[in-house]
Amino acid sequence: MRFKEMLRLARPPSILLLGALYVAYVLAGGVVFWQLEGHLVQRHVGVLLRQKQRLLSTYACLDQGALAEVAQVVQDASRVGLSLRSNYTADGFWKFSSSAVFAATVVTTIGYGNMSPSSTAAQIFCVFFALFGIPLNVVILNRVGKYMLASVRNLADFLEEKSGRRRLSRVSIHLASLVSGVLLFFLVPMVLFQQQEGWTFSQAIYYCFITLSTIGFGDFVADSNPETAYPEWYSVLMASWIFFGLAWLALLINHSIDILERLNSHCKQLWAGPSEGHGEEPPGAEGEETKKPSE
């Protein structure tokens, strides 16, 4: 038995290779985040402890217990979307516009975590609302994504018919759709968030991806600053951006999954080596080939 055949028989299942790659990728990401953020935490802890001591020394009437009460009040106010420095949002988070955006984050599974139902009735309703809303959202997004893809393909077929160049037309249309999607769902919102929220461009582009990928950390949430008076159209624009952006990014992720699947199949073929039909000729093949001319 040849070494290549022994290697082919001893190869592990592809699911184990993918699992090992997945675990290695996650662990490598953990190491990078640890190195980038770990030392910052220690620095921030030291700064906060010094600020606490300075606050206690400045206000002699404020002891440890009073400071804890003040911190609790600030925390409770932040949870309901109220600012202790202004009164722009007297209704807190649960206005109709912000409630509608919250409902959108539930069915899209973004789940920022900046606001959540506190009453028993609202929590029970949230469970059933998500139970039926999440599948409905998936179906709608898939349908919208298919319409987007069909539009791109129809435009590619039209250009192919006019120009007669199939590959060039399809590459051009897919590249144009990618650029327009990045412009419409990332760059334009980035400028808008920079103006309305006061974020930097890096924070805005970070928020765009974290939202549209449904990761939803909640460290940055648009239309939720209690010290800012937002225009009425802002919530509607936010909801529209989330919906169509999710459909576009889901389509893009599906293309990436397809590329990875093809790459996986290609690697499996390389690992398995040439198939029996393309490798050594089986016994009797030479005789069959010599018979063909006589036939």
Side-chain angles (χ1 to χ4, degrees), residues 187-206:
L187 297 184
V188 173
M190 178 184 66
V191 177
L192 179 63
F193 293 142
Q194 194 274 335
Q195 294 177 352
Q196 295 293 331
E197 306 291 342
W199 299 337
T200 64
F201 287 121
S202 60
Q203 290 172 341
I205 200 71
Y206 163 79

Side-chain angles (χ1 to χ4, degrees), residues 99-203:
S99 300
V101 173
F102 170 77
T105 61
V106 170
V107 297
T108 55
T109 69
I110 295 176
Y112 289 123
N114 64 316
M115 56 187 297
S116 57
S118 57
S119 64
T120 302
Q123 291 171 351
I124 295 176
F125 173 75
C126 184
V127 171
F128 289 99
F129 180 74
L131 185 64
F132 294 98
I134 292 175
L136 177 62
N137 177 75
V138 171
V139 172
I140 296 298
L141 287 181
N142 286 336
R143 184 64 59 88
V144 173
K146 288 180 180 180
Y147 275 118
M148 289 181 177
L149 184 60
S151 300
V152 171
R153 288 177 175 175
N154 291 335
L155 185 57
D157 293 338
F158 175 77
L159 292 180
E160 177 187 350
E161 182 180 354
K162 294 297 183 180
S163 62
R165 298 181 179 181
R166 176 182 177 85
R167 185 177 297 274
L168 180 61
S169 300
R170 293 192 176 275
V171 170
S172 300
I173 290 300
H174 283 291
L175 182 61
S177 63
L178 176 63
V179 172
S180 61
V182 170
L183 178 66
L184 185 60
F185 298 115
F186 281 89
L187 297 184
V188 173
M190 178 184 66
V191 177
L192 179 63
F193 293 142
Q194 194 274 335
Q195 294 177 352
Q196 295 293 331
E197 306 291 342
W199 299 337
T200 64
F201 287 121
S202 60
Q203 290 172 341

Side-chain angles (χ1 to χ4, degrees), residues 52 55-56 62-72:
K52 174 184 175 182
L55 186 63
L56 291 175
L62 193 64
D63 58 4
Q64 184 67 36
L67 181 62
E69 292 182 6
V70 172
Q72 186 64 45

